[in-house]
Amino acid sequence: MLGAALDIFSKQGFEYLSRWGHVVVGITWIGLLYYFNFVQVPAFGEMEAAARNNAVDKLASRALWWFRWAAAATFVTGLMILGFQENLNKMSYFKTGSGIAIATGMLFGITMFLNVWGVIWRAQKVVIDNARNVQAGGEANPAAAELGRKALLASRQNTIFSLPLLIFMVGTSHFPYNGLDLTGGKRGLYWAITLIVFAFFELNALGIIGGFKPGGTNLMYDTHKNTIYTGLAYSVLMLIVFAVVFAV
Ligand code: HEM
């Protein structure tokens, strides 16, 4: 009986524990992402400047600490699951239905992680420093508002990505599809569609396509409701692309 309990100290046990840890830190990250987008941004928009600066200093700075480290932990535990799996011993895993699903989920997840550390946190550091400086009676930094907008777009895009990401993270082991046709041509078609749509979204969020102004291709970031609808539509699209391209 004890022998069975000790099975947790095996490769499979460590994979299981990494999976548990991954979901814990994943919900911490994405929960805070949704808090920022659905609660904090609309609330800050209605607050007086002095109250907002105080909230950025005392509240947003703390939320951002949990947010960015949860993102890092999600990334690391995700790689740990992959590392403990037998699947990774053969690169042909990425030609199977599960392998294609997790590669797609990881494309979203790793991009979101890079958006957190490379765009959102870099910009928010300046926004927090500015709020603290103004509270202490210093001059406002004119660059802070633009950087705040840059961070907002990346954050809204991460909210959009989070929905199709879960389609694939969960789908890897639990998609209800059997007997897919995964020939090279179909895989090529799937990746071409997936990467083109993904690149459009990410380049748009970085301001490379649509710039940082509201409207146009940024309509989907203008309100959190637009962001949610876009994320849901994108999830349905990706589910259809996967199921239809690989249909036998
Ligand atoms: C940051 C990059 C990420 C990487 C590299 C990654 C990697 C992985 C891997 C390898 C799996 C195992 C798939 C399988 O074989 O069943 C997985 C599952 C999963 N991931 Fe991620 N992931 C990332 C981000 C996220 C995020 C942001 C979430 C959001 C909560 C998330 C939630 C999940 C869930 C719920 C599962 C399924 C667990 C299960 O069904 O047993 N992942 N991820």
Side-chain angles (χ1 to χ4, degrees), residues 19 22-23 26-27 29-30 74-75 78-79 81-82 85 93 102 106 109-110 112-113 165-166 169-170 172-174:
R19 203 177 273 268
H22 184 62
V23 177
I27 58 175
W29 173 16
I30 304 303
T74 307
F75 175 61
L79 295 185
I81 308 176
L82 209 57
Q85 271 177 358
Y93 173 55
I102 200 56
M106 283 169 52
I110 294 171
M112 290 165 61
F113 163 73
L165 169 138
L166 278 171
M169 288 285 152
V170 176
T172 301
S173 297
H174 309 286

Side-chain angles (χ1 to χ4, degrees), residues 59-213:
L59 180 119
S61 60
R62 284 187 167 87
L64 273 161
W65 188 92
W66 285 97
F67 174 73
R68 68 182 183 277
W69 289 110
T74 307
F75 175 61
V76 171
T77 49
L79 295 185
M80 281 167 65
I81 308 176
L82 209 57
F84 286 124
Q85 271 177 358
E86 299 298 331
N87 291 328
L88 204 68
N89 294 341
K90 37 187 189 332
M91 277 320 268
S92 57
Y93 173 55
F94 291 106
K95 294 182 181 166
T96 65
S98 290
I100 293 169
I102 200 56
T104 313
M106 283 169 52
L107 173 72
F108 291 126
I110 294 171
T111 306
M112 290 165 61
F113 163 73
L114 294 175
N115 283 342
V116 167
W117 281 90
V119 182
I120 300 171
W121 174 233
R122 272 170 65 190
Q124 290 296 351
K125 262 197 291 203
V126 179
V127 172
I128 294 169
D129 283 350
N130 177 59
R132 288 183 174 151
N133 187 37
V134 170
Q135 280 198 121
E139 280 285 303
N141 178 352
E146 203 185 311
L147 283 170
R149 172 86 188 152
K150 210 172 165 183
L152 175 75
L153 261 54
S155 183
R156 289 260 150 101
Q157 185 54 53
N158 272 7
T159 305
I160 293 173
F161 281 151
S162 72
L163 293 165
L165 169 138
L166 278 171
I167 294 269
F168 292 100
M169 288 285 152
V170 176
T172 301
S173 297
H174 309 286
F175 263 152
Y177 310 125
N178 293 310
L180 299 170
D181 174 9
L182 298 155
T183 42
K186 290 206 169 192
R187 282 186 273 122
L189 176 65
Y190 170 79
W191 281 116
I193 300 172
T194 301
L195 289 172
I196 288 170
V197 179
F198 158 82
F200 162 76
F201 276 113
E202 181 61 12
L203 295 177
N204 190 50
L206 296 176
I208 295 169
I209 293 180
F212 292 115
K213 297 222 164 9

